Amino acid sequence: MRSLFKFRRGPSGNSQKITMMAEDKQKDEYHGTVPRHVAIIMDGNGRWAKKRLMPRIAGHRAGVDSVRAVVQRCGEVGVSALTLFAFSSENWRRPESEVGLLMELFLVALQRESKKLDQNNVRLRVIGDRSRFSEKLQQEIVNAECLTADNSGLVLSVAANYGGRWDIAQAARQVAEQVKAGSIEPAAVDETLLGQYMTLAALPEPDLFIRTGGEQRISNFLLWQLAYSELFFTDTLWPDFKQDAFDLALQSFTSRQRRFGRTGDQVEENKRA
Ligand code: IPE
Ligand code: IPE
Ligand code: MG
């Protein structure tokens, strides 16, 4: 991945304070707090296409370019994990033809992009209940995951046939199995333990959540993991969401004070300490 910036990492905290210096001398030095993990609901593809009198699938296809742009930008600014909502457990309710075309697009995108992701040191994983996908798509997902498994750069999680409630339920089911087997005492089941069985357990929780397309709702995305994320909603439709739009979200994140239940004064004191 071509990096436009050099990074200087500061003391590790909840999010890393970094200074980005443009290699290109024309660009100004940029200071910002970079979220470690960004989660995005990529919404608005259908409306983008409709505005252009095109079929909805044209919007979904155009959305793949935005995925590429955001993945590249994450690499440049030092975001270490990106989670993208591609298909919700509720999206099966769409017309069969749109669902079919989306599955086809997913397959083609995996085939076309996984090599490039690998070259850019990105580790791809798909989260969600994949059992409902065709054998071919399931195989392509495994291929892409295996190809990129040893990469040490951006962790890109694509949520497909994913639902936040499904995620909590599958974690609870695994814990229940352990309790039944006698390896966990019911009294030991707490937030920390259950959290270890959630799909993104290995990653820090999202620092920044973005939803494009103007709606202000979570739509059954990462219900457990978004507990303390900073929320950013934009009217920009996903196919128009490129580097500039993403930078606006990153800038907004920089201006937030994350208190996690403490007072603002406590947070300031902590920073000075
Ligand atoms: C998001 O765009 C993509 C998926 C849900 C697969 P939409 O298809 O929801 O676009 P709008 O909301 O209809 O514009
Ligand atoms: C959420 O978008 C799911 C994805 C972006 C994959 P939707 O467009 O399906 O959400 P709702 O139904 O409008 O809430
Ligand atoms: Mg939508």
Side-chain angles (χ1 to χ4, degrees), residues 10-214:
S12 58
N14 211 2
S15 315
Q16 305 266 19
K17 190 91 181 167
I18 66 163
T19 303
M20 290 180 271
M21 287 173 297
E23 273 173 4
D24 171 0
K25 293 272 185 292
Q26 314 243 299
K27 287 202 168 119
D28 291 333
E29 198 171 278
Y30 174 84
H31 299 270
T33 305
V34 174
R36 289 172 304 174
H37 183 176
V38 178
I40 307 181
I41 297 186
M42 311 182 288
D43 197 19
N45 295 348
R47 281 163 284 162
W48 183 92
K50 197 172 177 187
K51 270 195 347 198
R52 288 163 179 76
L53 306 176
M54 290 156 92
R56 291 177 58 85
I57 188 66
H60 297 313
R61 288 201 186 103
V64 178
D65 292 338
S66 297
V67 171
R68 228 177 271 122
V70 169
V71 166
Q72 177 171 340
R73 195 66 183 144
C74 282
E76 288 169 359
V77 302
V79 169
S80 50
L82 173 67
T83 301
L84 300 174
F85 206 6
F87 190 87
S88 76
S89 42
E90 289 71 36
N91 285 146
W92 297 105
R93 297 174 184 156
R94 294 190 176 199
E96 220 179 294
S97 55
E98 179 167 344
V99 170
L101 288 168
L102 277 167
M103 293 300 142
E104 216 177 286
L105 179 62
F106 192 22
L107 185 78
V108 170
L110 279 172
Q111 288 167 336
R112 281 203 194 134
E113 305 292 328
S114 50
K115 214 184 245 168
K116 274 178 261 170
L117 291 173
D118 183 43
Q119 284 161 358
N120 288 320
N121 200 24
V122 174
R123 179 146 57 98
L124 176 81
R125 13 180 313 181
V126 174
I127 59 166
D129 179 4
R130 56 180 82 175
S131 65
R132 202 166 160 183
F133 296 146
S134 70
E135 285 291 320
K136 198 172 170 194
L137 181 52
Q138 289 188 45
Q139 190 52 54
E140 209 55 58
I141 291 171
V142 171
N143 292 349
E145 286 179 335
C146 289
L147 180 69
T148 62
D150 294 330
N151 291 338
S152 56
L154 179 73
V155 177
L156 173 62
S157 307
V158 175
N161 192 19
Y162 177 89
R165 288 178 178 169
W166 166 84
D167 200 353
I168 295 168
Q170 66 79 30
R173 196 180 315 120
Q174 289 187 65
V175 171
E177 293 287 353
Q178 301 281 331
V179 170
K180 189 178 165 199
S183 47
I184 295 176
E185 283 295 319
V189 181
D190 59 10
E191 291 173 27
T192 309
L193 186 116
L194 188 58
Q196 286 164 2
Y197 290 85
M198 303 295 300
T199 50
L200 296 179
L203 299 174
E205 285 172 5
D207 301 298
L208 174 64
F209 159 91
I210 300 170
R211 183 175 186 140
T212 64

